[in-house]
Amino acid sequence: MLMGLFLPTQAGGWSASTLPRTTDWTFDYNLALTKRAEELGFDLVFSLAQWLPKGGNGGVLNGTQIEPMITTSALAAVTSRILLVATIHILYGPWHPLHIAKFGATLDHITKGRWGINIVTGHRAIEHAMFGWPRIEHDLRYDMAAEFMDVVNELWTNPDNFTYEGKKWRMEGAFINPKPQFGRPILVSATGSDKGIDFASRYSDIIFITSPAGAEIEKALGALPPHTARVKAEAAKHGRSIRTLINPMVICRETDAEAQEYYDAIASHYDRAAPKGMLTFDSDAHGWRGRLEHDGYSRMAVGGNIQLVGSPEKIVHDMIRLKKAGVDGIQMNFFDFKPDLEFFGERVIPLMKQAGLRV
C-alpha cells in the first residue's frame, strides 16, 4: 500500500479545530515533517494549492499557505528518496505548457526522478475570479487540461522542434532540453466526476479519489469498492493501469477509547466559522458534493476525506479493508502532525509490515 503524507502547508492543516496543537503552515515545519516521513519509509508527500481572498475559509483556516511547487523544489535539495508532488492549477494565471514542461523536466533532473505533478483545474468560482475571468465550465476545464497535457507530454518526448495550434494554446518551433530522465514526471489527478475520471484515466498514474459516502469509515467502505473498480476500468479502456489514493485523517492512540476521546476533543473544539466558510465559496467539484449532509459540521471540522480512528491494531485493520476495497494508497492527514506522525511511525508502521501492507 502506497504511504503518503498530505503536508499542512496551509493554516489549520486539514482540521478546522481550535484544540491546541503544533501543526503549522511554515516551510520549516513542513521540512521537518518531510524529512521524518522519508526516514519512516513514506513513499510520497504533497500539499494542496489554493487561491483564496483575505480570511480564507474563515477562522483557523484563514487562507495562509506556502505555494506547493516552490515548496517541493526546496524540499528536493534536502531529501534523497521520497517522491515530491506539487499541486498545480494548470489553467490559472499565465501558465503555458512550455512553462510546465521546462519546470517539470528541470525538477525531474534535480530530484533524479522524484518529482511529480498533481494536476488540478480549479473548482471554486472565487479562484477563477481572482485571475480575472468567470469560472470555466466544469467539463470544458477537462478538455482544456487534456490539450494542455498533450502538449506538455509532446514537449517532454519530442526530439525536434514542435509547432502546435489548438483551441487554447499555440506555439511555433517549441523545444525543451534536457528531457525528463525517465520519460516524464509522475502525474496525479484528484477527481470524482465522469469527465474528471475520463481525463485522469488517460493521463495520470495515481488517481486521488474521495469517498462517495462521506468520511465515516463503515459508510465509506460500502461505497468505495464500486467506485475504485469504475476508476480502474476506465483506465483499462485506454490500455492503462493506475493506482488509487485516498486521504484519511488518522487519529490513533494506544486504545480505541483513547483515540475516540482524542477525536471527540478535536470535534468539540471545531471552529464554527471555518466549516461554514468552506461552503460559502461556490464550488462545482463533484467529489465533495453532499459532504455536509453526510458528515455534519463537526465531522467535517475534524478533517480528512475518510477518518481512521482507533488503536494501532484498529487502524491497520481498516487499512486492510481499504486495500480490499480497491484503495492502493493512503495520503495521510494528522491533527497534530509532528507528535501524531511519530506515534504512527512507532506503533502503526510495524503492524502494517506484519500485515503485508508494507515491506
Side-chain angles (χ1 to χ4, degrees):
M1 177 173 268
L2 283 171
M3 193 164 66
L5 186 66
F6 218 145
L7 295 174
T9 58
Q10 72 282 2
W14 296 93
S15 180
S17 174
T18 60
L19 187 70
R21 50 181 161 157
T22 67
T23 299
D24 189 23
W25 58 265
T26 62
F27 177 76
D28 286 347
Y29 189 89
N30 283 278
L31 168 62
L33 289 176
T34 301
K35 292 174 75 172
R36 187 62 182 132
E38 184 171 67
E39 292 169 354
L40 291 170
F42 276 65
D43 299 301
L44 69 157
V45 295
F46 66 85
S47 68
L48 59 69
Q50 61 184 13
W51 302 91
L52 296 174
K54 183 178 179 180
N57 289 311
V60 297
L61 304 180
N62 63 36
T64 302
Q65 190 210 15
I66 52 176
E67 198 280 325
M69 186 161 70
I70 294 173
T71 299
T72 54
S73 301
L75 291 173
V78 291
T79 54
S80 61
R81 187 196 59 80
I82 200 163
L83 178 65
L84 308 166
V85 180
T87 299
I88 303 174
H89 286 93
I90 61 173
L91 304 183
Y92 286 2
W95 291 129
H96 188 281
L98 263 170
H99 287 122
I100 299 302
K102 188 71 169 180
F103 298 165
T106 300
L107 284 164
D108 178 81
H109 278 261
I110 290 171
T111 63
K112 298 178 176 59
R114 294 186 297 112
W115 189 79
I117 304 173
N118 178 32
I119 308 161
V120 292
T121 63
H123 59 94
R124 290 189 179 96
I126 188 65
E127 294 188 342
H128 288 254
M130 287 180 72
F131 286 92
W133 57 72
R135 181 173 56 200
I136 304 166
E137 189 273 329
H138 178 277
D139 287 3
L140 177 59
R141 294 202 302 269
Y142 283 106
D143 290 337
M144 294 169 66
E147 182 182 339
F148 190 103
M149 293 311 302
D150 282 342
V151 174
V152 170
N153 282 319
E154 184 71 24
L155 290 165
W156 278 336
T157 57
N158 196 324
D160 300 311
N161 293 337
F162 174 53
T163 296
Y164 176 83
E165 184 167 349
K167 293 181 178 179
K168 172 65 176 176
W169 289 278
R170 62 191 63 185
M171 58 197 71
E172 183 173 346
F175 183 73
I176 67 154
N177 201 44
K179 306 296 186 186
Q181 297 180 94
F182 305 103
R184 61 165 173 76
I186 294 290
L187 300 180
V188 182
S189 296
T191 187
S193 67
D194 292 344
K195 191 72 172 182
I197 291 171
D198 176 69
F199 169 85
S201 68
R202 289 186 287 131
Y203 293 93
S204 296
D205 306 296
I206 300 171
I207 299 183
F208 202 18
I209 60 171
T210 58
S211 162
E216 196 277 321
I217 187 62
E218 298 301 330
K219 293 179 180 178
L221 284 166
L224 281 169
H227 184 53
T228 57
R230 176 195 171 197
V231 169
K232 294 179 180 183
E234 284 296 318
K237 289 180 184 178
H238 300 287
R240 307 183 68 246
S241 61
I242 56 88
R243 287 193 275 186
T244 57
L245 190 69
I246 200 166
N247 68 313
M249 172 64 75
V250 178
I251 298 178
C252 187
R253 287 292 186 266
E254 285 293 348
T255 67
D256 290 345
E258 289 174 305
Q260 188 61 52
E261 183 179 356
Y262 186 22
Y263 180 98
D264 292 342
I266 297 167
S268 67
H269 284 78
Y270 82 84
D271 186 336
R272 295 176 183 271
K276 293 179 181 179
M278 292 168 65
L279 300 173
T280 57
F281 297 133
D282 180 18
S283 168
D284 64 359
H286 291 205
W288 295 97
R289 286 179 175 175
R291 287 307 300 274
L292 180 58
E293 291 77 8
H294 286 306
D295 295 334
Y297 284 127
S298 61
R299 188 177 290 276
M300 283 183 66
V302 172
N305 181 249
I306 58 172
Q307 293 168 355
L308 302 181
V309 183
S311 65
E313 293 79 9
K314 174 67 163 54
I315 297 297
V316 173
H317 174 69
D318 286 342
M319 288 180 179
I320 293 170
R321 297 165 75 200
L322 286 169
K323 182 72 173 176
K324 291 178 179 178
V327 176
D328 301 309
I330 47 174
Q331 182 79 357
M332 283 172 277
N333 311 321
F334 296 103
F335 177 71
D336 196 353
F337 269 78
K338 280 188 175 180
D340 291 354
L341 176 61
E342 283 299 322
F343 186 82
F344 183 89
E346 178 184 346
R347 296 289 289 111
V348 180
I349 291 178
L351 296 181
M352 293 178 70
K353 293 178 179 178
Q354 290 179 23
L357 294 174
R358 301 290 295 175
V359 295

